[in-house]
Amino acid sequence: MKNEKILEVKDLYTSFFTHVGEVKAIRGVSFHLDKGEAIGIVGESGSGKSVTSMSTMKLLQYPGKIVGGEITFKGKDIVNMPEKEMQQIRGNEMAMIFQDPMTSLNPVYTVGDQIMEAIRHHQGLNKKQAREKAIEMLKLVGIPSPEKRVDNYPHEFSGGMRQRAMIAMALSCEPNLLIADEPTTALDVTIQAQILELMKELKEKINTSIILITHDLGVVADVCTRIIVMYGGLIMEEGTTDQIFYNPKHPYTMGLLKSIPRLDLGEKQRLVPIEGTPPDLLNPPKGCPFADRCPYAMKICQEMKPPYFEEEKNHRSMCWLLHKDAPQVQVDTGVKRGRI
């Protein structure tokens, strides 16, 4: 049986028109998300991860603008959709969890009131029904004594509980698509693990499709079935979680994997940074954006953007090293099965 695509992005271009010129933040990104699937989008700061998600939600503010491509959600054209219609979809059929819950929650309203507002706006419930639903959602995300906590203000919640409250708000209308933009960055590792486990459970319970955006490959290892690696406004590599971790094809992906701390190596391990800086997207390179930082770069890498090469099913990589005439490079990323 063929999987149902809930989201399809085709050849997306997004730019920011600043006083110094056009910053070409997204330069031809294409991917899809199936119903009930969780995918991860990873890469350094400035790689285009968050801009891709903001474009998908049509949350870009001036000077940002989608300048080309298609975004289809449940068969509907998002790019050309009127804002009034988009407001009905946003928060109801697609929702977003932001990186810092303190900037997303209003400090002068109770957590319950803020969850209830979303429920009443999109689902047309009365105040009593909305309150019951808000308590139910707080319970679902593991907040203790939800009947009392529903009347608390954001400052009365810990960081991890605030993030759980944000997830409760995002899921209150049972969206088909949940975009989580760095949802664990501000949390300690114990709470990180709890939030990621919660997202896995919610995906199983209500079959929500998830896009998890992070700079940390370790975060997506256990939650996502597919991983998209972005750099310089482009998708460098895309594949299943196993393909990306155990058989990476792009030197940038290899560099990210080599920079992950490993518990089995103890205190003497040496992290290997990726030398250099990301490209200037005011004047994007005409070749591979990673060429200046790549230890395996060839002359063609500087001169011509590589196409996508697909060596195995559902695994594509934008790298000239995969061309049949290129020299073969074998790299040990240090990632072994069972040691992510």
Side-chain angles (χ1 to χ4, degrees):
M1 184 178 171
K2 193 176 181 183
N3 290 335
E4 180 187 342
K5 287 181 185 175
I6 194 167
L7 177 72
E8 190 160 19
V9 177
K10 289 183 181 177
D11 209 23
L12 177 67
Y13 285 79
T14 298
S15 292
F16 290 84
F17 294 89
T18 70
H19 67 284
V20 292
E22 180 185 354
V23 178
K24 296 170 182 174
I26 303 294
R27 304 186 289 131
V29 162
S30 299
F31 67 93
H32 74 274
L33 176 67
D34 291 334
K35 189 173 183 179
E37 183 185 26
I39 65 171
I41 302 180
V42 300
E44 291 172 79
S45 297
S47 61
K49 311 181 303 293
S50 292
V51 177
T52 299
S53 68
M54 298 295 266
S55 300
T56 301
M57 293 281 288
K58 276 192 82 174
L59 284 172
L60 286 170
Q61 299 292 316
Y62 178 83
K65 186 181 179 184
I66 296 172
V67 294
E70 300 173 21
I71 302 171
T72 308
F73 174 68
K74 292 173 65 177
K76 298 172 185 173
D77 175 14
I78 293 287
V79 175
N80 299 305
M81 185 176 286
E83 179 57 24
K84 194 170 182 181
E85 189 180 342
M86 191 65 208
Q87 284 175 4
Q88 292 303 311
I89 290 177
R90 202 186 291 126
N92 189 26
E93 296 181 58
M94 57 165 67
M96 195 163 189
I97 305 167
F98 294 94
Q99 182 172 341
D100 184 1
M102 268 316 269
T103 60
S104 305
L105 291 168
N106 191 323
V108 301
Y109 291 100
T110 66
V111 169
D113 280 340
Q114 293 178 66
I115 298 173
M116 286 160 61
E117 182 185 8
I119 295 168
R120 295 187 72 184
H121 177 71
H122 289 293
Q123 299 201 323
L125 302 182
N126 63 36
K127 194 170 183 179
K128 184 184 177 186
Q129 291 169 325
R131 181 181 172 84
E132 288 171 359
K133 183 76 183 282
I135 291 169
E136 181 189 326
M137 294 309 300
L138 290 175
K139 185 178 180 180
L140 181 70
V141 298
I143 290 179
S145 306
E147 299 83 1
K148 295 178 182 177
R149 286 296 199 171
V150 74
D151 295 317
N152 285 165
Y153 290 88
H155 72 270
E156 297 178 280
F157 278 42
S158 67
M161 285 175 67
R162 281 195 293 267
Q163 194 61 283
R164 286 171 183 266
M166 279 299 303
I167 295 172
M169 191 184 301
L171 292 173
S172 60
C173 297
E174 298 184 7
N176 302 115
L177 170 61
L178 177 66
I179 299 174
D181 190 357
E182 303 271 12
T184 61
T185 299
L187 307 175
D188 64 61
V189 288
T190 308
I191 304 299
Q192 272 190 29
Q194 291 175 7
I195 295 294
L196 292 172
E197 191 60 35
L198 171 64
M199 291 180 70
K200 280 172 64 181
E201 288 173 13
L202 294 171
K203 184 172 81 73
E204 297 301 321
K205 283 180 184 175
I206 59 178
N207 203 33
T208 298
S209 303
I210 296 174
I211 297 177
L212 178 57
I213 294 163
T214 179
H215 62 272
D216 185 348
L217 267 165
V219 164
V220 297
D222 199 33
V223 179
C224 302
T225 52
R226 272 192 302 128
I227 297 174
I228 291 168
V229 181
M230 288 193 70
Y231 182 81
L234 294 166
I235 291 175
M236 296 285 97
E237 186 166 3
E238 179 183 0
T240 66
T241 304
D242 275 2
Q243 287 168 340
I244 295 297
F245 274 95
Y246 305 123
N247 192 25
K249 296 296 182 184
H250 200 285
Y252 179 61
T253 310
M254 297 171 189
L256 289 178
L257 289 167
K258 288 172 81 171
S259 65
I260 298 175
R262 285 172 54 192
L263 294 175
D264 60 314
L265 293 183
E267 296 178 5
K268 293 184 179 180
Q269 67 175 310
R270 184 173 180 269
L271 297 182
V272 183
I274 301 174
E275 301 290 345
T277 56
D280 177 9
L281 295 182
L282 268 169
N283 297 293
K286 63 180 181 179
C288 172
F290 190 60
D292 286 344
R293 304 173 73 184
C294 181
Y296 315 108
M298 303 174 286
K299 187 178 179 182
I300 193 172
C301 302
Q302 300 278 2
E303 297 172 349
M304 191 182 297
K305 189 174 84 171
Y308 286 105
F309 295 93
E310 190 167 342
E311 288 208 336
E312 53 186 330
K313 190 179 179 184
N314 301 320
H315 190 184
R316 61 178 177 140
S317 179
M318 182 187 279
C319 182
W320 284 116
L321 287 172
L322 299 176
H323 191 276
K324 60 181 176 63
D325 295 328
Q328 294 301 300
V329 174
Q330 293 294 325
V331 180
D332 179 13
T333 62
V335 178
K336 309 297 183 210
R337 289 192 180 275
R339 292 184 178 174
I340 296 172

